[in-house]
Amino acid sequence: MAERAITAEVAAASRMSDPVALVPELADVSAALFKAVGNRSVPRRTIGLAHLRAGQIVGNTYLTMLHTDLLRKAGESEERITAVSSWQDAPYFTPAERVALALTEAVFQPSAHGERVSDELYAQAAEHYDEKELATLTVAIGQVAFFVPLALISKPVPGRTFSEQWD
């Protein structure tokens, strides 16, 4: 497979037609995920931080910009947004947020030690989140994972919302 030159222009349109128009059931799945994650048991900002980190890990500009913009609109500071990529040594995150970011990384990055989510990491998460909160956080990580293939394959235009891609 040929690599694209660094100086090559990036397309100004998604590679794919509107996936919701092509697969209408996608709207129901998406709505169900948003409803489940929006149960208010985990702060929306924590979910946003996890979603931003997932976009960074998979190397997708659309997801990274989308979640950065959503965090800004929610009043998140530039310091915290910028520090998500290097959260381990940044002083801006609570212990619960750190666990959420660690879980996100564990799910999205291969582990040299076998199991991605170790018993130790799970125990740390359980110290900060009750069962419902931990289940919600798990679904939130799965929510962004659900959209990763759409972002990587269809290549939506960064800076446009998902629905704006096909207006």
Side-chain angles (χ1 to χ4, degrees), residues 22-154:
L22 299 169
V23 184
E25 299 83 0
L26 178 60
D28 294 334
V29 172
S30 178
L33 286 169
F34 278 97
K35 183 177 179 182
V37 170
N39 68 22
R40 300 182 193 260
S41 65
V42 176
R44 184 71 209 139
R45 287 183 175 182
T46 301
I47 292 167
L49 294 170
H51 285 178
L52 173 56
R53 186 65 189 123
Q56 293 170 340
I57 292 167
V58 300
N60 185 266
T61 303
Y62 175 78
L63 289 174
T64 300
M65 288 182 64
L66 172 69
H67 294 295
T68 296
D69 186 52
L70 291 171
L71 284 164
R72 281 187 182 123
K73 287 178 181 175
E76 198 58 74
S77 73
E78 288 301 314
E79 291 83 7
R80 282 171 46 93
I81 292 169
T82 302
V84 167
S85 65
S86 58
W87 64 269
Q88 297 90 339
D89 67 352
Y92 307 113
F93 304 105
T94 67
E97 291 169 337
R98 290 178 177 285
V99 167
L101 291 165
L103 284 171
T104 302
E105 287 192 359
V107 168
F108 282 95
Q109 294 178 329
S111 172
H113 309 292
E115 189 173 30
R116 290 183 187 218
V117 179
S118 67
D119 289 340
E120 178 184 355
L121 178 54
Y122 185 86
Q124 289 172 359
E127 289 175 17
H128 296 282
Y129 297 100
D130 66 25
E131 287 188 29
K132 180 177 182 174
E133 293 165 342
L134 190 50
T136 299
L137 182 58
T138 300
V139 172
I141 294 168
Q143 177 187 32
V144 73
F146 177 81
F147 289 104
V148 165
L150 283 170
L152 294 175
I153 295 168
S154 70

Side-chain angles (χ1 to χ4, degrees), residues 4-16:
R4 189 167 56 89
I6 292 172
T7 56
E9 300 250 346
V10 176
S14 175
R15 292 194 284 208
M16 184 182 288

